[in-house]
Amino acid sequence: MGSYISNILADDVSTLGPLRKTFARKEDFPHIARAYTRLSQEIRQLGLLSRSPWFYILTGFSIFLGFLLVLAASIILGESWLQLIVAACLGLLFTQVAFLAHEAGHRQILTAGPSNDALARVLTAFVGISYSWWDSKHSRHHANPNMEGKDPDIEVDTISFLQQDAASATGLRKFITKRQGWLFFPLLTLEGLNLYGHSFRYLLTEKSVKSRWSELSMIFIRTILVFVPIFVFLPLGMAFAFSGIMLAVFGIYMGASFAPNHKGMPVIAAGERIDFFTKQVRTSRNIRGGWWATIFMGGLNYQIEHHLFPSMARPKLAKARLIVQRFCLEHDVPYVETSLIGSYAIVIRYLNEVGLAARDPFECPMVAEFRRA
């Protein structure tokens, strides 16, 4: 099994290939009749879709304790630049809360759907993000991952994930797009602000939003509770630095956890009809690492299993992985799994290749090099 997965990874890295091969079509993937039905039956019989209440109670308590310790450290440190360490810890803790919100949104934590939705709404507001915006976007992503025109996660948003978007870039975005692979992680320092901006824009401009005013109220109260003490108890320059570090760590951590899962995997051409099992497995990538990767990424390291069974609780994903791997081997479906660092290398390479479309195709590379000199 290990050599099989290694071979698949090697193929994934070596055949990422030129951009003209990026878009996959139905004929590229053999249809697997009733594959998902048979797999689901086995998963359900093993009880892997049952809830794990004690895991989430302990996880929630651990995060709560983390916030208490950070608050105590901040009070003890006073007007010290060591507060920036506290700020970084807050960025990490808010991301861990976002992972729980993600799981509640997928109805992994509580037994009743409305209860999960309510929990997710509160947790996302605690992070500073709109649940309504996230749920709309994320549901469309799960339905059609990496599908051109349907997956909002590959729509252009500073970064271009598709060649045609890169080719249409102008001005500052063109400058960024040509170097977007190398700029990806530096740009993630602004991802927190980007998420907040999308949330507010959605809540203020979208015509029909469930719980619009309750979300706006919770996010407003959260913003006051988080930022007012920072600017009241710290010198102005330190307060800005504290806020910047907290937001930067949050943005990098969020992006570094979600980006490895699909970027650099096949993008399905618009309008193609592919069976559910194939679509979810072929466009997703797992991250090796076991328990530490599960804690660090909030279970997103088991992206294949998560996409096949979105309501599966985090502790059940590791066991499901073994079953899905065996199933893929039996049906000759590539199961892509790599290291965290390896996934980042693939993402950077993919984004750089997409970014080639933003460059002048008639410009001589040697002339361009002399121009930079």
Side-chain angles (χ1 to χ4, degrees):
M1 178 68 72
S3 60
Y4 169 74
I5 302 300
S6 299
N7 290 337
I8 294 302
L9 172 58
D11 290 343
D12 174 56
V13 175
S14 63
T15 62
L16 191 57
L19 290 169
R20 62 179 179 275
K21 296 182 180 178
T22 298
F23 297 99
R25 298 191 176 278
K26 182 178 180 179
E27 54 268 24
D28 296 328
F29 305 138
H31 184 76
I32 303 176
R34 299 181 180 178
Y36 183 69
T37 301
R38 295 197 302 274
L39 177 62
S40 296
Q41 289 173 347
E42 183 173 352
I43 291 291
R44 193 175 297 277
Q45 288 171 359
L46 291 171
L48 296 181
L49 294 180
S50 61
R51 297 293 177 262
S52 300
W54 281 108
F55 170 82
Y56 288 109
I57 290 172
L58 292 173
T59 300
F61 177 77
S62 298
I63 295 173
F64 176 71
L65 182 61
F67 276 107
L68 290 181
L69 292 173
V70 165
L71 177 61
S74 182
I75 294 172
I76 293 170
L77 288 171
E79 295 183 5
S80 167
W81 284 102
L82 291 176
Q83 290 280 5
L84 299 187
I85 299 175
V86 174
C89 291
L90 280 175
L92 297 176
L93 286 170
F94 278 124
T95 308
Q96 286 290 326
V97 175
F99 292 153
L100 286 181
H102 170 251
E103 290 169 294
H106 280 293
R107 305 187 172 183
Q108 298 174 17
I109 299 179
L110 304 175
T111 54
S115 299
N116 274 298
D117 288 340
L119 177 60
R121 199 174 303 279
V122 172
L123 291 176
T124 51
F126 182 79
V127 173
I129 298 173
S130 163
Y131 173 69
S132 298
W133 167 73
W134 174 85
D135 184 50
S136 172
K137 177 177 180 291
H138 200 63
S139 297
R140 286 180 286 138
H141 160 71
H142 265 267
N144 293 285
N146 270 23
M147 178 167 281
E148 181 188 12
K150 289 190 175 182
D151 183 359
D153 282 5
I154 59 174
E155 292 177 358
V156 61
D157 184 14
T158 305
I159 295 290
S160 296
F161 299 103
L162 302 178
Q163 184 183 22
Q164 60 266 34
D165 291 330
S168 66
T170 58
L172 178 60
R173 190 167 75 82
K174 181 175 182 179
F175 175 86
I176 293 173
T177 303
K178 290 193 291 186
R179 304 159 179 83
Q180 64 179 10
W182 305 119
L183 292 175
F184 179 65
F185 283 99
L187 286 171
L188 286 181
T189 59
L190 302 175
E191 180 61 13
L193 291 174
N194 187 43
L195 294 173
Y196 297 156
H198 280 299
S199 295
F200 275 110
R201 192 179 305 115
Y202 184 88
L203 289 173
L204 294 174
T205 63
E206 193 69 17
K207 290 184 178 180
S208 179
V209 178
K210 183 180 179 181
S211 303
R212 182 198 309 271
W213 295 111
S214 63
E215 283 194 33
L216 280 170
S217 299
M218 287 190 292
I219 293 174
F220 177 75
I221 293 171
R222 180 262 182 193
T223 303
I224 296 297
L225 292 177
V226 171
F227 288 99
V228 167
I230 294 173
F231 283 88
V232 168
F233 294 108
L234 294 179
L236 188 60
M238 191 180 296
F240 275 110
F242 188 103
S243 302
I245 292 294
M246 180 176 64
L247 290 170
V249 170
F250 173 67
I252 292 172
Y253 193 4
M254 287 285 283
S257 299
F258 282 90
N261 304 325
H262 302 282
K263 305 301 181 283
M265 296 300 292
V267 174
I268 301 172
E272 294 296 321
R273 298 179 63 85
I274 299 173
D275 67 272
F276 179 82
F277 177 82
T278 300
K279 177 169 57 177
Q280 302 298 338
V281 175
R282 292 273 191 164
T283 60
S284 302
R285 178 194 298 113
N286 274 17
I287 303 299
R288 290 194 297 266
W291 64 268
W292 73 262
T294 303
I295 293 174
F296 176 75
M297 301 184 68
L300 295 172
N301 51 314
Y302 296 114
Q303 190 68 194
I304 294 173
E305 290 70 31
H306 172 59
H307 263 259
L308 289 172
F309 306 101
S311 64
M312 182 178 289
R314 195 190 309 182
K316 308 295 177 64
L317 293 168
K319 188 171 183 179
R321 166 182 171 270
L322 299 176
I323 298 169
V324 174
Q325 279 184 333
R326 171 176 54 78
F327 199 85
C328 287
L329 183 61
E330 292 172 355
H331 292 81
D332 196 29
V333 175
Y335 182 101
V336 180
E337 188 174 74
T338 184
S339 67
L340 185 61
I341 300 301
S343 71
Y344 293 153
I346 293 171
V347 170
I348 290 171
R349 179 188 170 193
Y350 171 75
L351 292 178
N352 277 332
E353 290 194 353
V354 171
L356 289 173
R359 301 173 187 175
D360 185 352
F362 300 105
E363 182 178 51
C364 171
M366 186 176 296
V367 171
E369 194 64 34
F370 276 116
R371 185 174 297 161
R372 282 193 290 271

